[in-house]
Amino acid sequence: MAEHDVVEVIATKRDRGTLTTGQIDWVIDAYTRGEVADEQMSALAMAILLNGMDRAEISAWTAAMIASGERLDFSGLSRATTDKHSTGGVGDKITLPLAPLVAACGVAVPQLSGRGLGHTGGTLDKLESIPGWRAALSNDELRAQLDEVGAAVCAAGDGLAPADRKLYALRDVTGTVEAIPLIASSIMSKKIAEGTGALVLDVKVGSGAFMKDADRARELAEVMVGLGTDAGVRTVALLTDMSTPLGHTAGNALEVAESVDVLAGGGPADVVELTLALAREMLAAAGHDAVDPADKLVDGSAMDAWRRMIRAQGGDPEAPLPTARESHVVTAERDGVLTRLDALSVGTAAWRLGAGRARKEDPVQAGAGVRWHARPGDRVAVGDPLFTLSTDTPERFDRALAALEDGYTVSAPGTAYAAPPLVIDRVS
Ligand code: URA
């Protein structure tokens, strides 16, 4: 690889120039090896945040991050592969029912996931509330599980896009997380390296999401769909609402229980709607759209796939889930209609109760979280329970209650409420 001068690379982007593929390959490789220093990469990341990158630059940046590590290959598997990635939301437990549901429809789901940070929960944290379940799988175990069970949700190993791990940690402390080229290349480098044949992106929009407005979410979706397509992964994106949290629970074991309800043919209507919408997209992207996933929730085959998926990773799907030691109920102070339930407030409350972590090495509480008893549009009477807060550490209640204080509105009885659409747009 030809050597470049790092200051010249930074200055090119600072002066709104276009980086060459050679410069990008070199700077990512040199940064991963420690030859380019953190302060130099910070300056480049800030120049990218301020001046952007064109499609060719973003593709090259993504390819260089993929090339920094291993790339899994499931092409020899007995079934096609398809995956989903959510940009993160509150109460977003969709992966849990979705992966076994799609497996029950005949397509394999290799879902390499992360842990939660901040107010959005992580899929691995949720699954780890199941007694015995372990997140780590070797590549051979992952492949065998995909062949035998059809779905695996596990921790992304250190070998996958190591350049992204280093760069993401740097962006986190340098105010450069928000750059769309850097977000898109970060997410897509990991998903492409994971080796899935098809990918559906759930790009969340609203207070509880990374992207607060639909225009920026659409731009991110378009860039990510372009990157997937350029890399030979059939990719589509749904823009979905995250102004209101999904379902009725936010918290690790609470969300597992709600997901099991969906797999048993029940569960909250919005969780079922989004699970089915994403399952249909995943199956279509894998060229396997003759099966209706709704049937697999009714006939029990999605639940069977869930049990096999949990057992394959040491978990006991029949074991009681952990519950928190203490709870506190918030009741309605007036009769009326719940017209607003703010995702960020609920997510922050669940996080403060111990369901999430502030630093990546912090432990999480399996039973902590929030259950909301009403959703926007529901009538409530004075004294009705609105929220149940749960934690093992009751000194956390005050700060969680403070987060919820302005997080909901009970309007006068009879107030009309029109729910916004859950699926806002589709980008392909
Ligand atoms: N998630 C990622 O993996 N990377 C980002 O840059 C943002 C969210």
Side-chain angles (χ1 to χ4, degrees):
M1 197 177 295
E3 278 284 314
H4 289 265
D5 178 337
V6 65
V7 176
E8 205 176 285
V9 175
I10 297 166
T12 301
K13 194 40 76 183
R14 180 199 64 199
D15 298 339
R16 298 195 173 80
T18 304
L19 300 175
T20 65
T21 299
Q23 284 177 315
I24 290 172
D25 285 347
W26 175 79
V27 81
I28 296 280
D29 179 60
Y31 178 59
T32 311
R33 287 186 287 106
E35 189 184 315
V36 164
D38 277 348
E39 58 271 25
Q40 294 170 316
M41 195 48 131
S42 311
L44 181 57
M46 186 57 82
I48 291 169
L49 180 134
L50 295 173
N51 296 328
M53 289 205 285
D54 67 22
R55 182 165 175 168
E57 287 176 293
I58 304 174
S59 267
W61 189 272
T62 307
M65 293 216 292
I66 296 168
S68 73
E70 63 179 333
R71 188 168 177 173
L72 306 186
D73 179 8
F74 296 119
S75 54
L77 218 62
S78 56
R79 359 181 176 193
T81 51
T82 189
D83 193 13
K84 184 256 334 186
H85 176 81
S86 159
T87 57
V90 178
D92 184 2
K93 70 269 303 165
I94 302 292
T95 293
L96 276 54
L98 181 64
L101 173 60
V102 171
C105 295
V107 179
V109 184
Q111 161 98 199
L112 302 187
S113 291
R115 287 170 206 286
L117 193 62
H119 74 275
T120 62
T123 299
L124 301 181
D125 296 324
K126 294 173 204 199
L127 286 167
E128 277 175 345
S129 68
I130 299 172
W133 188 86
R134 65 184 169 94
L137 287 184
S138 68
N139 290 350
D140 287 345
E141 287 171 325
L142 170 59
R143 170 177 283 277
Q145 187 168 327
L146 289 175
D147 247 333
E148 285 154 27
V149 179
V153 181
C154 61
D158 288 349
L160 224 59
D164 176 64
R165 189 163 317 109
K166 196 170 172 192
L167 181 57
Y168 191 51
L170 184 73
R171 287 165 55 211
D172 205 23
V173 294
T174 55
T176 51
V177 167
E178 286 77 4
I180 284 182
L182 297 179
I183 300 172
S185 55
S186 165
I187 292 173
M188 293 304 291
S189 62
K190 288 172 285 197
K191 285 288 147 183
I192 295 166
E194 169 196 277
T196 185
L199 178 65
V200 177
L201 299 160
D202 180 3
V203 180
K204 301 285 187 199
V205 188
S207 77
F210 211 32
M211 295 283 146
K212 309 291 180 200
D213 73 85
D215 287 344
R216 265 180 70 76
R218 193 170 292 107
E219 187 185 338
L220 176 63
E222 282 165 0
V223 175
M224 290 197 292
V225 168
L227 286 173
T229 308
D230 287 352
V233 179
R234 289 177 302 283
T235 309
V236 298
L238 297 183
L239 261 56
T240 71
D241 179 64
M242 188 32 70
S243 52
T244 300
L246 278 165
H248 278 276
T249 57
N252 299 310
L254 292 170
E255 293 190 53
V256 172
E258 196 165 81
S259 302
V260 172
D261 290 345
V262 171
L263 288 160
D270 60 333
V271 178
V272 176
E273 179 188 338
L274 188 54
T275 302
L276 288 174
L278 290 165
R280 290 188 177 113
E281 292 288 355
M282 287 168 75
L283 292 167
H288 200 88
D289 48 6
V291 187
D292 183 0
D295 296 341
K296 306 290 177 190
L297 290 179
V298 175
D299 70 11
S301 49
M303 180 69 98
D304 289 344
W306 160 262
R307 291 197 180 106
R308 278 185 274 121
M309 180 180 98
I310 297 302
R311 280 199 195 101
Q313 288 172 248
D316 179 356
E318 319 300 339
L321 290 164
T323 50
R325 281 195 286 274
E326 307 280 340
S327 62
H328 176 95
V329 177
V330 177
T331 55
E333 288 178 355
R334 56 180 290 189
D335 294 346
V337 178
L338 186 72
T339 49
R340 186 179 66 93
L341 179 62
D342 177 58
L344 179 59
S345 306
V346 171
T348 304
W351 174 37
R352 290 182 179 174
L353 288 164
R357 50 172 72 77
R359 291 169 311 152
K360 60 181 186 310
E361 47 287 338
D362 291 347
V364 296
Q365 294 182 21
V370 179
R371 178 185 299 280
W372 46 104
H373 299 274
R375 289 190 51 83
D378 289 349
R379 275 188 301 182
V380 297
V382 64
D384 279 355
L386 289 180
F387 301 98
T388 301
L389 281 58
S390 311
T391 182
D392 292 334
T393 39
E395 62 275 15
R396 292 171 179 261
F397 281 132
D398 283 350
R399 292 200 66 231
L401 288 165
L404 276 181
E405 207 167 75
D406 295 322
Y408 62 100
T409 307
V410 176
S411 302
T415 303
Y417 173 79
L422 185 55
V423 178
I424 299 165
D425 205 351
R426 179 178 189 278
V427 176
S428 62

